[in-house]
Every structure is written in structure tokens, then in C-alpha cells.
Amino acid sequence: MKLIASLAAGAALMAVASPALAVENATVRLDLNNVNPERTIPAEIYGQFAEHLGTCIYGGLWVGEDSPIPNTNGYRNDVLQALKDLKVPVMRWPGGCFADEYHWVDGIGPKENRPVMINNNWGGTVEDNSFGTHEFFNLCELIGCEPYLSGNVGSGTVEELSKWVEYITAENGPQAELRKKNGREKPWKLKYLGVGNESWGCGGNFTPEDYASEYRRYQTYCRDVNGNKLYKIASGASDYDYNWTDVLMKKAKNHMKGLSLHYYTVTGWTGSKGSATKFNDDDYYWTLGKCLEIEPVIMKHDSIMSKYDPNKKVALLVDEWGTWWDEEPGTVPGHLYQQNTMRDAMVAALSLNVFNRHTDRVKMANIAQIANVLQSMVLTSGDKMVLTPTYHVFKMYAPHQNATFIPLDVETTVREVPGKKAPRPLPTVSATASEKDGVLNVTLTNVDLKEKAEVLIPFEKLNKKAAIAGEILTSSAADDYNDFDNPDKVKTAAFKDFKVTKEGLKVTLPPMSIVALAVKN
Ligand code: AHR
């Protein structure tokens, strides 16, 4: 059954039954009277995550200076360019679970002296530490993004983390001298500092009470020096663990700028997670319903945080999210290498719409992960690289970074898709709108696999002669993907199926499509 509903920002879904429509008709109203010029969409919502896992770092980002693969100081050129084009705002590193086994001193100094270790979390792979602190911070400089460091609490010490911060940010003193000896005279800037990762699990199996105490202790010794100002982030809950958020806020809110949240679009944590590329229509709709459940989850964590922090001084950072499927057959177990289809692209668009709606509390989100792992931006093999459908979504949404958020009221049909305890609502059309430098950017999605959607955007302010540029991402099947033989099967194209009418802008969204419009009045 389909329902018809009005979806205002953050409102509960109110739905009334309606017969299924042959063509989806939707209205996307820009609530121009409620625009708060202070409410921008933080660029960090479009953040990335790079872990020492599989071929994310080695092979994906880093090939080393001596590699035959074209590179700049060891970073592969094709990926570097793709990431520059994406305007990556922030990159989280070195984990994930890897972070709580990582000892930063092993990754500095002459490469031949760096010890090897076993990457116990991810397939027992040998890690040679050739990509370490310098390689990460220099990469961030090359791409022009903020580094987000994930510190080791699980198997580390307060002293180790405190010295890492000093090594990176101090102008003088023993750690600064060591950094200079290793070739970097000037300190780097470090804003985002995560104190542990998944501390309820791979990051130490703490109880929330014990972790809250550890967090308070660790963060005390991570100092602001030489004008550097740390934005300290406590390791937060997974999915529906509201007690973790409650305890952390109760016991440590005055010592943090952010609390994290991890939410994966996954069928479950035991057994098969399903194939990334072989699925039916029901699986497709289930996936989108599960992905959208992140909205009530965010709202519930937000409401718990508001008990202790009604003025929303502590941010919620969704620093791991995305789809998690079975590893591709024939790939190394534990390396989490998965393909990326149009279905993943829809997950990316819907999730970004949710984050954009909740930026009063959600200030950062980091998709997992940037290369060759889970829902990645790029896939590499030897000297080849493909851009995934998810990459294209991030590129289409990039104009929303740091733009003024425009609230929307979307009237659309809503499907009910199966959920764990109750059916989940899946609106057919969803959207984000923002304005920057006189350009209104509207991104629209139609999740329906068969029907197009006729969308009316009643524009109060639309000049009939406004210049409108459109771009679309769609494909003939939801399981279409890009691979090394067919790298451009799913790609963006110019979009022109819109017209300005007396009622507003009329846009025809093909089935399973994502459209970006830039309107210059
Ligand atoms: O992104 C893969 C893993 O998922 C991360 O290492 C961990 O934090 C999470 O469980």
C-alpha cells in the first residue's frame, strides 16, 4: 500500500491512505519564510573516513613514491584528483577498530625502521606502518580537508595520546623536535580529535560508565597549544543504544564538543549481509527503508542529548555510516571490499537529506569508507580506478556544503516497507534545498523503481528567466554498477526535464533517479 504524506523537516510521518498513483505527483515547497541565515549545512556533513583496512590506504590512497602507478609523493594521482573534485571537507583516520590498536610512534621516522604489526581486526594483514602521521596530514593538506584523528584508548595510554597531539601541534618541546627531525618543521593544525572508537566494542569493551571516566581522563591531557584548538569527540553509541548516549551526556558532556554515532544500513551482524549486486526489488526497498531509519534514531539520540544540553552545544557526529554488504566473492576475507550500485547511490542521497535536515545537532557525518571498503567513493585495482555511483551523489550534493539551509515541506506518497519491529515509511520523493552565492540548489530523489515523479516546486521568488542547470544520476537497473571493464555505466548526465510555469518549477524525475538543480535568479 502507498500512503500520501507531508514531510516537513524532522516532523513525524503523518500518512493517510491513498490509491497508488500511476505517476508519482509530489510537491516540494521551499519554506522561504523560515530561512535562518545562520543555519548553514556544515561542509563536514560530507565527510570521509579512511581506515587501515583492506586496500583503503594501501593501494587505494597510497602506493608509495617508488610505485609505477602515477603518484604525487606516494599518493596515487587519479584518486587524489577525484578527491579534490569532490571537495572533501574532513577525513577521519586511522580507524575504526584499527585506531584502538594503532601506536602512532610506529608510523613516524625513516620507513625502513618502522615496525610491522598485524592488523588483527581486518584479516590479520601485515601492516608495515609506511603510511603514518606525516603521510596522513600531508594528504589532508594536498586535498585541502580537515584531519580528524581517532585516538587509541582501548590499547593505548593517556601519555601516548597526549604526546601524539603534541607531536602534531606543538611549535617547541621534545615532540616538536622529533617531528622536525622527521622532516616537518611547522606544526599541523588539528581540530577534530576522537578519543577512542566504538569503545563499547572493538575499542575496549567498556561499559558506558567506565568509558565516560576514561574519556574524561584522556581528554584532560590533550592540550590546546600554540593557538591550536581541539574539538574533542567522545566515542558514541551504535544505532539504537540510547543508554550509551544518556550516560555519556550525564557524566562527560562538559568535556566534549561532539559525541559520535555509528549507523550502518545492514541486514544484521550475524550471517550473510546480502550481496551488493544481486538483489530484488523488495531488497531494494527494504534497504532504503532501513537507511531512512537513521532519522528517528538521530532524533531519539538528539532528544536524550537535549535533556542535558538543551542549547545543543554538544554536536552529534555520525562518523560512520553507509551500506554494509557481503564481501565480493574472491576478495580477501576481512577486507570489506564491496561493489557499489545505484541502490547505494540512493542510500547516499537519502542519508544526506536526513543529515541536512538535522544540522541543528548533527554537525558532521563520515561515510564508511573513502576507497575500496564498504560504501566507497572509489574502487581501485592496480593502476585502474573507478568512481562509484555514491561518488557521483557526493559530487552532486557538494554545492550544499556551507550553504544556507532552506526548510522544505515535501508532499509525496509513502510506501511501507518491512522493518524489524514495525513497517518503515519510505517517501517516494525527498529533497534538500540550500542557497549560496545567489544560487539556489535543490537536490531531488525519486526512489520508485518503475514510476516517474512529477514534482512541482512552487517558487514564490522564481524569475521566469532564471538560469537553471540540471544534472541527473540514474541507470536502467538498480543493480547497475561501475567496474574496471565498464567504468562509466552509472554516470551523471545533463538534465533538462523541467519547465518554469505559473505555478512554479515543474520537474519530471525518472524512476530511481537523483537530480540536482542549480537555479540562478
Ligand atoms: O568501518 C568498518 C568498521 O565498522 C570500523 O572499523 C568500526 O568502527 C565499525 O564497526
Side-chain angles (χ1 to χ4, degrees), residues 230-251:
L230 295 169
Y231 182 111
K232 297 174 185 172
I233 300 158
S235 168
S238 174
D239 312 290
Y240 314 92
D241 183 357
Y242 302 110
N243 181 50
W244 186 276
T245 298
D246 198 300
V247 174
L248 262 290
M249 288 301 288
K250 188 163 32 190
K251 298 200 176 292

Side-chain angles (χ1 to χ4, degrees), residues 11-320:
L13 270 178
M14 295 290 294
V16 289
S18 124
L21 303 170
V23 172
E24 304 290 341
N25 284 301
T27 309
V28 173
R29 281 192 193 83
L30 306 181
D31 192 357
L32 294 171
N33 296 324
N34 279 315
V35 175
N36 171 1
E38 314 261 284
R39 168 100 187 261
T40 53
I41 297 174
E44 286 81 356
I45 292 294
Y46 296 84
Q48 298 289 336
F49 169 34
E51 179 165 11
H52 287 241
L53 196 181
T55 52
C56 181
I57 303 288
Y58 302 107
L61 300 175
W62 174 258
V63 286
E65 294 91 337
D66 302 330
S67 171
I69 297 173
N71 69 83
T72 303
N73 305 332
Y75 311 103
R76 51 185 305 158
N77 288 343
D78 47 5
V79 173
L80 210 50
Q81 191 55 51
L83 299 181
K84 283 182 187 166
D85 294 345
L86 209 52
K87 301 191 177 8
V88 173
V90 57
M91 200 186 320
R92 179 171 181 251
W93 174 85
C97 295
F98 180 79
D100 282 286
E101 296 210 31
Y102 182 61
H103 300 287
W104 68 272
V105 283
D106 294 347
I108 56 169
K111 296 218 162 141
E112 59 280 12
N113 298 341
R114 298 187 191 180
V116 297
M117 67 180 279
I118 299 298
N119 192 335
N120 292 308
N121 284 291
W122 306 118
T125 307
V126 175
E127 160 69 55
D128 69 2
N129 277 305
S130 55
F131 188 97
T133 304
H134 291 247
E135 290 75 19
F136 173 64
F137 278 82
N138 292 344
L139 172 63
C140 292
E141 280 187 346
L142 271 174
I143 295 175
C145 72
E146 288 280 352
Y148 172 0
L149 215 60
S150 231
N152 181 347
V153 170
S155 71
T157 64
V158 172
E159 181 186 3
E160 183 183 10
L161 186 56
S162 143
K163 283 185 172 165
W164 199 10
V165 171
E166 192 180 324
Y167 183 87
I168 293 160
T169 59
E171 273 168 18
N172 304 301
Q175 296 307 320
E177 292 314 314
L178 183 57
R179 184 193 66 236
K180 291 176 194 172
K181 198 172 125 220
N182 288 331
R184 171 76 185 199
E185 185 63 27
K186 268 191 340 182
W188 292 282
K189 283 281 172 225
L190 171 63
K191 183 174 175 185
Y192 298 111
L193 176 69
V195 180
N197 167 75
E198 297 196 347
S199 302
W200 39 264
C202 65
N205 280 307
F206 290 100
T207 63
E209 288 78 10
D210 287 349
Y211 171 71
S213 305
E214 287 297 291
Y215 172 80
R216 291 170 62 119
R217 190 163 73 97
Y218 268 74
Q219 66 79 36
T220 306
Y221 303 94
C222 297
R223 318 261 189 205
D224 288 340
V225 294
N226 303 122
N228 187 73
K229 193 112 192 68
L230 295 169
Y231 182 111
K232 297 174 185 172
I233 300 158
S235 168
S238 174
D239 312 290
Y240 314 92
D241 183 357
Y242 302 110
N243 181 50
W244 186 276
T245 298
D246 198 300
V247 174
L248 262 290
M249 288 301 288
K250 188 163 32 190
K251 298 200 176 292
K253 74 166 195 309
N254 293 335
H255 304 281
M256 64 175 84
K257 290 286 278 182
L259 178 61
S260 69
L261 171 68
H262 291 179
Y263 183 94
Y264 282 97
T265 297
V266 63
T267 55
W269 296 110
T270 50
S272 165
K273 296 180 174 62
S275 161
T277 55
K278 293 182 183 63
F279 53 87
N280 61 28
D281 291 2
D282 288 344
D283 299 331
Y284 166 89
Y285 287 120
W286 177 88
T287 303
L288 302 192
K290 168 72 180 171
C291 124
L292 275 183
E293 194 160 84
I294 197 171
E295 184 155 34
V297 168
I298 284 174
M299 288 164 75
K300 183 122 189 233
H301 284 286
D302 177 17
S303 75
I304 291 165
M305 292 173 81
S306 290
K307 275 201 305 184
Y308 305 97
D309 175 33
N311 296 325
K312 303 195 192 246
K313 289 197 174 131
V314 179
L316 186 64
L317 311 179
V318 189
D319 62 14
E320 285 186 31

Side-chain angles (χ1 to χ4, degrees), residues 356-367:
N356 291 337
R357 277 200 285 277
H358 291 279
T359 56
D360 55 336
R361 179 70 85 181
V362 179
K363 303 290 185 193
M364 189 195 294
N366 308 73
I367 189 168

